[in-house]
Amino acid sequence: MKFARHMTANGPRVAVHDDAGDLVDLATDRQLPQLLAEDGLLVDMGGAALRRRAVVTAEADARLLAPLDPPTVRDFSTFPEHTAGIVKLSDSNAVVPHEFWEIPTFYFSNPYAITGPYDDVPVPPGCVQFDFELEVAAVVGRAGRDLSVDEAEDHIAGYVILNDFSARDIQFHEMRLRLGPAKGKDTATALGALFVTADELADRRRGSSFDLRMRVSVNGELLGDDSLHNMAWSFGALAAYASRGTWIRPGDLLGSGTCQGGCLAELWGRYGLGFHSPLQPGDEVRTEVELLGETRNRIVAGPKARDIRPWQA
């Protein structure tokens, strides 16, 4: 099944996406993480909603929101060709580090930065190298700890498009302290309108992931085109690593990391900073992933950075 969330007079409401493209509200005000926390509840309520069709909204008339507000966001790095390009930003002779093949590393991103699929995205304060990152995120549906890869696969409820907007100049500055990224990733993480249950993708499984075409364009110009199956680590491996020594819980997001050609920083590493300008107010970024839908976000001016200085005696 496919689910969406839209704003109603009574607040955000989860709805099942029917074959005609309409949104059929579930008979509950519970949100996606709560619905996922009880095995089978989301699908059962989706089926009941489709039978009763009590409240139906045409998608064109809906104010679509991100499908969920995740309690945590872990963003991984799993596409070796993306990594091969981005490391060349600092050294033209650099290659994929061997650690890439040892652990599916991730950083924690900001759940408060979750942005809707069609919302405006402000340029972060002080940023002059604003960037996009095309990814897919797995959504955890069942709590677990210290899981094997096979066990962890069963804890994934479904998938959603993720666009991790990035303030590159801020990110690279702060990471010189060997921490982060922090403010470089803190303003906007756009999610696609659809949460698609894992069974919907079963017949597209290939290798470690799924054979789904991924595309990103700016102002109609195609800049990145890849397939999700080019991940070197499976989503099950990501969930297993995330659960090592701790808990993953319903609604947690596990980002795939950026696909090949899925961000400007990689393209700058391959072709130079003149290849394409950073995102500017007025630009529209569109991502598309087969079966998962799209995002379309317009870049707008953000606030100026306010002065912060260290304490001086």
Side-chain angles (χ1 to χ4, degrees), residues 14-127:
V14 176
V16 62
H17 202 269
D18 72 9
D19 291 338
D22 293 329
L23 304 181
V24 184
D25 285 3
L26 304 192
T28 180
D29 59 2
R30 283 187 281 184
Q31 299 300 300
L32 195 61
Q34 297 168 296
L35 293 166
L36 291 173
E38 297 183 37
D39 278 354
L41 178 61
L42 177 66
V43 171
D44 287 348
M45 295 202 72
L50 289 174
R51 290 191 296 272
R52 295 171 186 152
R53 302 186 67 83
V55 181
V56 181
T57 305
E59 185 174 10
D61 297 331
R63 182 189 163 198
L64 291 166
L65 308 171
L68 74 161
D69 292 318
T72 69
V73 182
R74 296 172 177 87
D75 205 357
F76 289 78
S77 179
T78 72
F79 288 87
E81 289 302 318
H82 165 72
T83 301
I86 205 164
V87 295
K88 295 184 183 298
L89 266 175
S90 56
D91 179 356
S92 61
N93 296 314
V95 296
V96 177
H98 64 83
E99 290 86 357
F100 178 91
W101 305 103
E102 295 175 350
I103 52 172
T105 190
F106 68 90
Y107 64 89
F108 279 102
S109 193
N110 183 4
Y112 301 148
I114 294 298
T115 300
Y118 303 112
D119 291 348
D120 290 348
V121 170
V123 177
C127 173

Side-chain angles (χ1 to χ4, degrees), residues 123-309:
V123 177
C127 173
V128 297
Q129 290 185 327
F130 200 31
D131 197 359
F132 54 83
E133 296 196 56
L134 170 56
E135 311 183 25
V136 168
V139 181
V140 174
R142 187 184 305 157
R145 182 186 179 105
D146 290 310
L147 303 169
S148 70
V149 173
D150 288 341
E151 289 170 339
E153 191 76 43
D154 290 335
H155 285 63
I156 295 172
Y159 300 89
V160 63
I161 295 174
L162 186 152
N163 185 354
D164 171 34
F165 285 96
S166 302
R168 294 301 188 187
D169 46 338
I170 296 171
Q171 174 190 349
F172 297 147
H173 185 205
E174 64 194 359
M175 291 182 73
R176 291 175 190 160
L177 292 172
R178 301 187 182 276
L179 290 173
K183 283 297 169 186
K185 303 281 190 171
D186 216 24
T187 290
T189 300
L191 299 184
L194 296 178
F195 165 75
V196 180
T197 56
D199 61 292
E200 290 276 329
L201 305 185
D203 64 352
R204 301 295 289 272
R205 184 168 288 280
R206 178 177 171 189
S208 65
S209 187
F210 304 95
D211 187 12
L212 301 179
R213 190 176 185 186
M214 308 172 69
R215 295 159 54 98
V216 59
S217 58
V218 176
N219 301 329
E221 178 187 3
L222 181 66
L223 294 178
D225 191 341
D226 197 6
S227 175
L228 189 62
H229 83 260
N230 287 323
M231 294 170 62
W233 296 89
S234 69
F235 283 108
L238 306 190
Y241 190 65
S243 77
R244 185 177 291 180
T246 189
W247 287 91
I248 55 174
R249 298 191 184 278
D252 287 350
L253 280 189
L254 309 174
S256 67
T258 310
C259 64
Q260 181 178 355
C263 73
L264 293 173
E266 178 195 329
L267 300 174
W268 293 334
R270 293 185 184 279
Y271 308 117
L273 293 175
F275 177 79
H276 195 283
S277 62
L279 296 176
Q280 305 290 331
D283 287 343
E284 182 183 79
V285 181
R286 183 183 186 192
T287 70
E288 304 167 83
V289 179
E290 279 187 280
L291 303 184
L292 301 185
E294 66 167 12
T295 65
R296 284 200 316 271
N297 300 102
R298 184 171 62 99
I299 308 303
V300 297
K304 293 183 180 300
R306 305 186 74 167
D307 192 36
I308 300 175
R309 295 180 181 272

